[in-house]
Amino acid sequence: MEDNQAKPRRIPRSMARAVALPLSSGIPLIWSLPDGRAWLSRNMALEVEQRRLFPWIAIFFGIGIVLFFQADGQPALWAPVGAFGLFGAAAIASRRHLTVFSILIALAALLAGFSAGAIRARSVAAPALTRLVIAPVTGFIETVEDREGGKRLLLRLTGMMGVADAGRPERIRVSVRSGEGLSPGQLIAGTARLLPPPQAAWPGGYDFARDASFKGIGAVGSMVGQVRRIDSPQRPGWSLWLAARVDEARNALTERIASAIGGAAGGVGAALVTGKRGLIPEPTNDVLRAAGIYHIVSISGLHMVLAAGTFFWVVRALLALAPGVALLWPVKKMAAVAAMAGATIYCIFSGSDVATERSLVMTLVMFGAILVDRPALSIRNLSIAALIVLAREPEALLGPSFQMSFGAVAAMMALVPLMHRPRLEGARGGFVARGVSWIGTAMLGLVTTTLVASFATAPFAAYHFQSLNPYGLIGNALALPLVSLIVMPSALLGVLAYPFGLDRPIWQFMGMAVSQVLDVSAWVGGFSGSTLVVPALGGAALVLLSLGLILVSVPASALRWMALVPAGAGLAFAATPDRYDVFIDRDGAGAAIRAKGGRLALVGRPSDFVAEQWLRADGDARNADDGSLRQEAKCDAAGCVVAAAGGRWVAFVQDFTAFEEDCRRATVIVTRLKAPPICKASFVLDGDDLKERGATTIRFNPETVELRSVRKGREVRTWAGKEVHRADVSSAPEIPRRARPVPEQDFPEEDLNASDESSTSRPMH
């Protein structure tokens, strides 16, 4: 190649060596590749100049929290705290060397996040039930929520018969069929049927037990028989008194709004103002989800921004009416203080849910930036808000609310300005032309923000909910203007008029806009494919897509192009999900087994909630009562068998009499009983294993069985390398089973937990 080209010209240091390729014409083609080190140096210098290193502190803080929740058992506190102090001191000592200083700060932030998780876990540690308990209880009502067919109570216990004080839960969540006359702050007594908070239905699924532990809820269930109000020998503490008074006021306003509007619109309107969603019919919830606008009924970022923004602009406009005040006083900062106070009051009144508190922190940081003459909307302020939220509630990082809200805001801050067309300064026109231009700009902003937020939150929606709403852009574009321009201003005006008793016409006016929102939702939700059920996103795909979102949002330089690498890899993982072949209930009440046809077959008696969790994780849109779920399982009174893919038989044993036959012929045995030691099946998972592991999944590989389990809120252990017998289904004798499920499998499930978060199956005795 050297004989066919002239000596290349000298290449500058900023470029790599030239690569010369001969052409058929004899003219050399020289490709100059950029010098990677110089490119990285230039972009890192720009990142430092733009102060974009600070957001990485929040990112590494979050990584430390994730590592804490991946740890087995309860890590020691002294180790992360001591290491944090060591790296922090080293960072201060090396602050003159930017590279070393940055690395040490990142490590210190990671250890700080780990320490925050350890401290939080110790601060909320409280007793929780470990078994089914039916016992008389007494306790103060902390919150009351109206539900269809009764009420749901959060009780702060003062006594539980048969359970020592050291093992008594601090709080329990129970449902009552008739809760007339019950209100927050009352001391009540009755008999409760309680269960431990249920863990995830499958590894990677929603873990109600973990969330309940951080809320101090040690049991869930229902009240049995009459609930009596009794006189309290002592006054409740101030925190309980305040929580009860706030919840009582919320319930009164919820009833006022719902009765003034009426119907499903009344329940939605009340939820928009008070955050109480119990009066929304479930079909209405489904319609809002299908249209991609269910987020409007959760008091979070949208509501907090609209409420605080309304306070800010109203106060600023009123102050501007007084020339002396407008000229001599910092009107903008005074309005920011009013907005911060109004947002705080709104957060307290709406129940101070976790999502609401996170939105409040973000709002306070944004308006606080105005007070110190800094830009309100910046990635730096978003990072400060994330640090405050995660330091206070590290467990929030694992939930969909934090991930979706902060991910959407970060993406919008980074990408929406790039999608907007620059405004022409010299373009002027008449009133109509300016009005049309303003409407066009507003609609462009709405469409771009919704589009960016939808793409940013899609990985988290697929991971947590296994569903996507492709027409959410249409639903949000049609519904959000009504919510922003009519519903929320009416809500603020209605709350102000409520103490005077002049609020009913305002609620009725707001109800007309809410009805239009529901009509839009029904129209969009009626589109074919409005809700797509997708297989659960794997952990690797979520991590890679999240890294892509971070890299496209945080850097200010061309480094954001690096986001294409993890994003592309994440999409590849998401497009080829690795499904489980067997899902097993936490107590062995039932299982879902992938049959030869490729779809799951249901055996046993899992609750409808658990069964649908399995189906959604597999990307299956069928409901738990679909008859096709049991067609491929051959069952009799002793259990069921399913012919699985790869020539394997999976047996679900419910009676000891089935072990002799199934242990000889089946490849895998699943049972809540104790399997005999002579069972010769290739793989056995019995009751003792399930007690140790909780909900379990199995994946069949060509020569191995991979098992993943839920234990204390984590995914633990993978069994690999175990040789598996592969039966020849074509030649193996068919195991005689009746195709029709036995009558006891058709019993309706008993509602032990009336909460939205989870339900459990009726124990078998």
Side-chain angles (χ1 to χ4, degrees):
M1 183 171 63
E2 293 178 357
D3 297 336
N4 297 331
Q5 68 177 17
K7 184 178 180 180
R9 60 185 178 86
R10 186 172 183 179
I11 304 300
R13 283 183 138 184
S14 60
M15 306 296 292
R17 293 179 178 177
V19 179
L21 298 178
L23 297 179
S24 58
S25 61
I27 303 176
L29 175 65
I30 298 178
W31 288 355
S32 296
L33 301 178
D35 185 351
R37 180 178 297 180
W39 177 83
L40 182 62
S41 299
R42 289 195 304 271
N43 285 285
M44 287 302 300
L46 181 60
E47 295 296 317
V48 174
E49 180 183 348
Q50 296 291 327
R51 306 181 69 180
R52 288 301 181 100
L53 297 185
F54 179 82
W56 290 97
I57 296 178
I59 294 169
F60 278 92
F61 191 88
I63 294 174
I65 293 173
V66 172
L67 292 178
F68 167 77
F69 281 103
Q70 294 299 316
D72 290 331
Q74 187 170 355
L77 183 59
W78 63 266
V81 172
F84 164 69
L86 181 64
F87 280 105
I92 295 175
S94 60
R95 61 187 180 274
R96 297 180 182 276
H97 305 280
L98 180 60
T99 302
V100 177
F101 175 76
S102 300
I103 294 174
L104 292 174
I105 285 293
L107 293 174
L110 185 148
L111 291 164
F114 197 102
S115 303
I119 294 172
R120 173 68 171 169
R122 285 166 170 76
S123 66
V124 300
L129 293 184
T130 58
R131 58 183 176 85
L132 171 69
V133 172
I134 302 177
V137 298
T138 58
F140 286 99
I141 300 177
E142 191 168 330
T143 63
V144 178
E145 186 170 356
D146 290 323
R147 315 288 291 178
E148 293 184 0
K151 296 180 183 294
R152 188 174 69 178
L153 312 178
L154 181 62
L155 294 182
R156 189 174 296 187
L157 290 184
T158 58
M160 176 183 289
M161 185 176 295
V163 178
D165 291 346
R168 185 183 69 208
E170 179 182 347
R171 291 181 176 88
I172 63 173
R173 177 172 288 171
V174 293
S175 60
V176 293
R177 295 186 181 276
S178 178
E180 296 298 329
L182 298 181
S183 61
Q186 294 177 348
L187 180 64
I188 63 171
T191 300
R193 191 172 191 271
L194 300 173
L195 287 171
Q199 294 180 350
W202 59 279
Y206 171 65
D207 192 351
F208 176 71
R210 182 190 63 214
D211 289 354
S213 68
F214 282 101
K215 296 176 182 177
I217 300 175
V220 294
S222 58
M223 301 298 292
V224 180
Q226 184 181 4
V227 178
R228 308 181 310 277
R229 179 183 176 183
I230 59 179
D231 295 330
S232 174
Q234 59 183 1
R235 295 178 61 86
W238 70 269
S239 61
L240 175 59
W241 178 87
L242 178 61
R245 298 287 75 78
V246 171
D247 192 68
E248 188 175 20
R250 293 177 66 202
N251 288 333
L253 183 56
T254 299
E255 179 61 29
R256 176 83 169 185
I257 298 172
S259 62
I261 299 175
V268 174
L272 286 166
V273 179
T274 67
K276 294 274 188 175
R277 291 176 279 179
L279 296 179
I280 304 178
E282 191 57 32
T284 303
N285 286 327
D286 294 337
V287 165
L288 292 172
R289 292 188 185 102
I293 59 173
Y294 186 76
H295 61 90
I296 68 172
V297 298
S298 174
I299 306 296
S300 55
L302 173 65
H303 303 75
M304 196 61 65
V305 168
L306 292 175
T310 302
F311 279 112
F312 179 80
W313 292 110
V314 168
V315 172
R316 189 176 185 183
L318 292 176
L319 293 176
L321 295 177
V325 174
L327 293 175
L328 299 177
W329 294 86
V331 173
K332 185 177 181 181
K333 294 183 178 181
M334 295 169 66
V337 172
M340 295 168 72
T344 303
I345 295 172
Y346 180 54
C347 177
I348 295 173
F349 184 77
S350 63
S352 299
D353 290 336
V354 177
T356 313
E357 291 179 355
R358 287 197 289 271
S359 302
L360 174 64
V361 170
M362 189 183 301
T363 303
L364 294 180
V365 170
M366 300 305 175
F367 281 104
I370 295 177
L371 298 180
V372 296
D373 298 317
R374 295 293 182 90
L377 294 174
S378 68
I379 224 57
R380 181 184 180 88
N381 291 341
L382 184 66
S383 303
I384 294 173
L387 281 171
I388 295 173
V389 169
L390 293 179
R392 183 176 180 271
E393 297 171 339
E395 71 277 7
L397 180 63
L398 305 183
S401 180
F402 178 92
Q403 296 171 5
M404 297 178 77
S405 59
F406 277 85
V409 174
M412 287 189 290
M413 286 182 179
L415 298 180
V416 169
L418 302 178
M419 300 175 67
H420 282 179
R421 183 180 58 188
R423 182 178 298 179
L424 298 177
E425 298 293 338
R428 295 183 179 275
F431 176 79
V432 175
R434 289 197 300 271
V436 171
S437 176
W438 182 86
I439 294 175
T441 302
M443 291 303 298
L444 177 63
L446 178 62
V447 170
T448 54
T449 54
T450 303
L451 185 63
V452 170
S454 299
F455 277 108
T457 57
F460 308 114
Y463 180 81
H464 292 284
F465 309 119
Q466 295 85 54
S467 64
L468 296 174
N469 303 110
Y471 303 118
L473 178 62
I474 300 175
N476 282 274
L478 297 177
L480 288 186
L482 291 171
V483 175
S484 304
L485 301 178
I486 299 178
V487 174
M488 293 309 294
S490 299
L492 177 60
L493 186 59
V495 170
L496 295 176
Y498 173 60
F500 300 95
L502 303 174
D503 55 320
R504 181 172 291 272
I506 301 174
W507 301 131
Q508 292 173 343
F509 175 73
M510 185 183 80
M512 292 188 291
V514 174
S515 297
Q516 293 297 315
V517 171
L518 295 182
D519 291 341
V520 167
S521 302
W523 179 64
V524 175
F527 294 169
S528 176
S530 59
T531 299
L532 299 178
V533 178
V534 296
L537 205 64
L542 181 67
V543 169
L544 289 169
L545 291 173
S546 300
L547 179 59
L549 178 61
I550 290 172
L551 289 177
V552 81
S553 303
V554 174
S557 65
L559 289 175
R560 64 176 49 181
W561 288 103
M562 295 173 60
L564 294 175
V565 177
L571 289 174
F573 277 108
T576 56
D578 198 2
R579 294 180 171 91
Y580 296 112
D581 293 303
V582 182
F583 293 84
I584 307 169
D585 190 44
R586 61 180 69 91
D587 59 357
I593 304 166
R594 190 175 310 283
K596 288 189 298 183
R599 298 206 299 175
L600 294 178
L602 202 62
V603 296
R605 296 189 301 169
S607 70
D608 288 350
F609 175 84
V610 170
E612 291 188 0
Q613 290 286 298
W614 295 338
L615 292 170
R616 299 300 174 267
D618 196 55
D620 195 328
R622 290 179 292 176
N623 295 323
D625 57 357
D626 193 316
S628 64
L629 286 168
R630 296 187 181 270
Q631 289 179 353
E632 297 188 71
K634 300 179 180 181
C635 301
D636 61 14
C640 303
V641 292
V642 176
R648 302 179 179 90
W649 287 99
V650 180
F652 180 78
V653 178
Q654 294 178 292
D655 190 271
F656 285 101
T657 59
F659 278 120
E660 181 181 359
E661 183 178 31
D662 290 344
C663 285
R664 285 188 292 107
R665 298 185 177 181
T667 312
V668 177
I669 300 289
V670 175
T671 179
R672 67 185 307 170
L673 306 174
K674 183 175 178 59
I678 61 172
C679 189
K680 298 186 181 302
S682 298
F683 188 85
V684 179
L685 192 66
D686 65 3
D688 291 342
D689 294 322
L690 294 176
K691 288 179 182 178
E692 179 185 355
R693 305 179 186 282
T696 302
T697 57
I698 300 174
R699 181 181 293 118
F700 298 133
N701 296 316
E703 300 297 334
T704 61
V705 169
E706 180 183 342
L707 181 146
R708 295 176 67 86
S709 304
V710 172
R711 185 182 181 184
K712 299 180 181 179
R714 296 187 193 89
E715 299 179 12
V716 295
R717 295 191 186 181
T718 298
W719 290 358
K722 181 179 177 65
E723 185 177 352
V724 178
H725 171 66
R726 301 185 58 158
D728 185 359
V729 178
S730 60
S731 60
E734 182 174 318
I735 301 178
R737 298 286 190 224
R738 292 199 303 269
R740 182 179 61 83
V742 297
E744 66 175 0
Q745 292 178 338
D746 296 331
F747 289 164
E749 297 294 337
E750 181 176 353
D751 183 16
L752 297 181
N753 178 21
S755 66
D756 287 335
E757 295 86 357
S758 177
S759 63
T760 56
S761 59
R762 180 165 62 90
M764 298 171 61
H765 299 285

